[in-house]
């Protein structure tokens, strides 16, 4: 027997409103695992190297995640034992469906389970620029935006993982790109490093005023919902498209007025569409993601800022920082060495 500590990020209580690190998510360090005998149920035993922390985990805390169990998400790791014919001990893998533990049992049916080359990219890149964040931006933009050169796009939370990639793709397509973020430092990043046309701090400038000056908007990439979506609808061109990729305004049970001008959707013949990237990919394909995105990264034509922290114990606070806009790029936690 090889009894080993197996620290885990546990959903200890469901939030009733505001999420509180250490109350709703806790890191249990007293758990153990027998690496030799633990049942794999036809799957893999994986040593977790890194995990992705994403804002939608907050939504899953309201019901999808089982109470008292580890939360799950995107990880990279090294296979310790395998009951899947295609994988062997020593392989490195990525999946979007593994528990946040030092040693995780990964189901053979885990979402996007795949072997990865540890020398082809960094762990953070596999969890960010080559992971679900980039897939969401790439497939959502190519599958739903119907972007045309000369149009104007507004991207909310444009300095985040998804938003920053959408902004870059739109710029490369020849669109005028307007992006908002929550700090002057991030505004500088959007202007100087990503080169978007208009970047502003929404805490200092009214979104409606900026769009009145720089719009109207043909495409809106929305992470906020609520009042922001209402404002943008009023500033959109006829036949505009709003792509709903998130609704941060409604996280944590926040009260919202909702969208009160949906009559403009009819009058302007707007399209409002939400999407799940896995469902969209299944219906429309990946638009060359697995070939084109690594190529763009190698050529320096697509970049993603990374906020890397260390140890599972930082996950609860990291999630709150993301929800409050205090992170500085794609949130990645390195859990262990190889």
């Amino acid at each position: 027997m090889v009894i080993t500590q197996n620290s885990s990020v546990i959903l200890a209580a469901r939030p009733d409103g505001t999420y509180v690190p250490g109350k709703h998510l806790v890191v249990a360090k007293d758990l153990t695992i027998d690496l030799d005998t633990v049942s794999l149920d036809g799957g893999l035993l994986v040593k977790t190297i890194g995990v992705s922390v994403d804002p939608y985990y907050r939504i899953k805390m309201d019901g999808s995640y089982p109470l008292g169990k580890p939360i799950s998400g995107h990880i990279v790791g090294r296979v310790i034992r395998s009951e899947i014919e295609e994988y062997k001990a020593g392989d490195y893998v990525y999946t979007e469906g593994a528990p946040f533990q030092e040693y995780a049992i990964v189901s053979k049916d885990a979402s996007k389970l795949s072997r990865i080359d540890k020398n082809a990219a960094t762990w953070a890149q596999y969890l960010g620029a080559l992971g679900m964040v980039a897939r969401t931006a790439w497939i959502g933009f190519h599958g739903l935006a119907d972007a045309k050169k000369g149009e104007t796009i507004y991207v909310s939370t444009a300095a985040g993982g998804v938003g920053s990639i959408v902004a870059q793709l739109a710029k490369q397509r020849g669109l005028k790109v307007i992006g908002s973020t929550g700090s002057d430092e991030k505004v500088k990043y959007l202007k100087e490093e990503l080169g978007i046309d208009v970047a502003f701090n929404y805490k200092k400038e009214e979104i409606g005023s900026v769009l009145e000056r720089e719009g109207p908007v043909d495409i809106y990439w929305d992470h906020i919902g609520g009042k922001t979506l209402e404002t943008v609808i009023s500033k959109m061109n006829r036949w505009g498209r709003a792509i709903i990729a998130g609704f941060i305004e409604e996280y944590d049970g926040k009260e919202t007025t909702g969208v009160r001008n949906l009559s403009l959707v009819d009058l302007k013949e707007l399209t409002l569409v939400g999407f799940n990237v896995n469902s969209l990919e299944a219906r429309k394909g990946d638009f060359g993601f697995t070939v084109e995105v690594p190529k763009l990264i190698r050529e320096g034509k697509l970049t993603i800022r990374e906020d890397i922290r260390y140890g599972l114990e930082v996950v609860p606070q990291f999630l709150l920082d993301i929800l409050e806009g205090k992170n500085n790029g794609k949130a990645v936690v390195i859990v262990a060495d190889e």
Side-chain angles (χ1 to χ4, degrees):
M1 293 196 306
V2 181
I3 304 299
T4 304
Q5 177 176 308
N6 196 25
S7 296
S8 307
V9 182
I10 304 292
L11 178 63
R14 297 200 190 280
D16 181 15
T18 302
Y19 160 67
V20 180
K23 176 181 179 182
H24 301 119
L25 283 187
V26 301
V27 178
K29 296 185 177 181
D30 57 346
L31 302 179
T32 59
I33 186 172
D34 187 332
L35 300 181
D36 288 337
T37 64
V38 64
S39 174
L40 306 187
D41 294 323
L44 305 173
L45 174 61
V46 174
K47 179 182 180 180
T48 303
I49 296 172
V51 304
S52 170
V53 185
D54 295 286
Y56 78 88
Y57 294 175
R58 170 61 188 86
I59 307 170
K60 298 184 75 172
M61 292 170 66
D62 288 335
S64 298
Y65 287 145
L67 197 60
K69 301 291 185 181
I71 66 169
S72 60
H74 315 170
I75 77 162
V76 290
R78 178 170 56 85
V79 176
I80 303 297
R81 291 169 47 211
S82 172
E83 292 181 355
I84 303 176
E85 185 177 351
E86 296 85 354
Y87 297 90
K88 64 182 186 303
D91 285 345
Y92 293 89
V93 294
Y94 166 85
T95 178
E96 294 175 0
F100 278 16
Q101 301 176 282
E102 289 182 274
Y103 293 91
I105 306 298
V106 177
S107 165
K108 63 179 182 299
D109 300 319
S111 176
K112 296 296 177 182
L113 177 61
S114 59
R115 184 182 292 102
I116 57 177
D117 180 353
K118 72 169 185 173
N119 298 312
T122 66
W123 305 126
Q125 285 176 326
Y126 277 120
L127 292 166
L130 298 173
M132 184 176 175
V133 166
R135 284 198 309 117
T136 298
W138 180 270
I139 295 173
F141 182 79
H142 286 93
L144 301 172
D146 190 25
K148 304 173 185 66
K149 184 177 180 179
E151 289 188 321
T152 297
I153 185 172
Y154 168 47
V155 183
S156 61
T157 62
V162 174
S164 64
I165 295 177
V166 170
Q168 291 172 80
L169 295 176
K171 189 67 180 171
Q172 292 168 12
R173 186 68 67 88
L175 277 69
K176 178 179 179 179
V177 181
I178 305 170
S180 60
T181 188
S183 74
D184 292 342
E185 188 276 330
K186 291 179 181 179
V187 168
K188 182 178 179 181
Y189 162 69
L190 291 173
K191 289 180 176 178
E192 296 183 3
E193 296 190 40
L194 299 191
I196 74 172
D197 300 281
V198 180
F200 68 98
N201 183 342
Y202 69 87
K203 296 177 181 177
K204 293 184 175 181
E205 292 187 81
E206 290 286 341
I207 294 171
S209 299
V210 175
L211 298 185
E212 182 69 30
R213 181 179 73 241
E214 301 292 346
V217 172
D218 298 290
I219 304 166
Y220 173 41
W221 188 281
D222 184 24
H223 291 114
I224 309 299
K227 189 175 186 301
T228 299
L229 177 57
E230 178 182 297
T231 299
V232 179
I233 285 174
S234 71
K235 306 300 179 184
M236 293 188 79
N237 270 326
R238 189 179 183 189
W239 303 307
R241 288 84 71 198
I243 301 165
I244 314 301
F247 41 94
I248 292 173
E249 189 169 300
E250 297 182 24
Y251 291 178
D252 270 351
K254 297 173 184 173
E255 290 188 11
T256 175
T257 58
V259 179
R260 299 168 296 183
N261 58 353
L262 288 176
S263 61
L264 291 179
V265 175
D266 181 30
L267 293 172
K268 294 184 178 184
E269 299 180 79
L270 305 178
T271 298
L272 274 65
V273 58
F275 76 102
N276 172 283
V277 65
N278 291 332
S279 172
L280 183 61
E281 182 179 0
R283 288 183 284 120
K284 294 194 173 186
D286 73 355
F287 298 93
F289 174 83
T290 55
V291 174
E292 294 300 323
V293 171
K295 180 173 179 286
L296 288 171
I297 292 171
R298 287 195 302 270
E299 294 174 349
K301 296 178 180 178
L302 189 65
T303 64
I304 181 169
R305 205 181 211 187
E306 298 164 345
D307 188 339
I308 302 175
R309 305 182 191 181
Y310 297 87
L312 279 178
E313 62 271 13
V314 307
V315 170
Q317 181 62 46
F318 211 170
L319 177 59
L320 180 62
D321 288 349
I322 294 167
L323 295 173
E324 294 181 342
K326 295 179 181 178
N327 59 308
N328 290 299
K330 176 67 196 80
V332 173
V333 174
I334 299 302
V335 177
D337 296 330
E338 300 175 28

